[in-house]
Amino acid sequence: MERSRVSSKGQTVIPKTMRDALGIKEGCELVWRIDNRRLVAYPVPEDVVQASIGILKDFPGLGTEVLLKDREEDLALDEVKVKRLLERE
């Protein structure tokens, strides 16, 4: 477990082992948040778009096959609705 002190200006030093492990370098931007009374910091990637590529590849329900099946079901429901509307006329 690493420790650091907070200065009178609210500054602290991120221990070198942690900077190295997370790739935090001079000028790196951090995002801060409070999570269940804990302070959490995340380094912001230099190229957010590049860092996001492939982020959802293993997320269930977002595969092309699933999306196409959902679209086919939506189209079938639309056809039923249109048929009912035409029968009323």
Side-chain angles (χ1 to χ4, degrees):
M1 179 178 289
E2 304 276 356
R3 290 183 175 209
S4 65
R5 294 194 184 273
V6 177
S7 74
S8 61
K9 294 182 179 181
Q11 298 169 328
T12 191
V13 173
I14 302 169
K16 182 170 180 6
T17 55
M18 293 183 175
R19 290 192 318 263
D20 291 347
L22 296 173
I24 298 173
K25 297 184 172 112
E26 181 180 351
C28 179
E29 184 179 357
L30 300 175
V31 172
W32 297 85
R33 69 181 180 92
I34 297 174
D35 181 15
N36 198 24
R37 299 190 47 82
R38 294 180 183 180
L39 182 61
V40 180
Y42 296 95
V44 177
E46 289 182 25
D47 185 350
V48 178
V49 174
Q50 184 65 34
S52 300
I53 292 174
I55 198 169
L56 298 175
K57 69 180 177 189
D58 296 325
F59 193 85
L62 289 181
T64 305
E65 298 83 19
V66 173
L67 293 173
L68 288 173
K69 182 180 177 191
D70 285 348
R71 181 65 182 136
E72 287 174 9
E73 290 172 0
D74 288 343
L75 288 173
L77 288 173
D78 288 345
E79 288 177 12
V80 169
K81 290 177 185 177
V82 168
K83 184 178 178 180
R84 286 183 187 159
L85 286 172
L86 292 174
E87 288 174 354
R88 289 183 185 172
E89 293 179 0

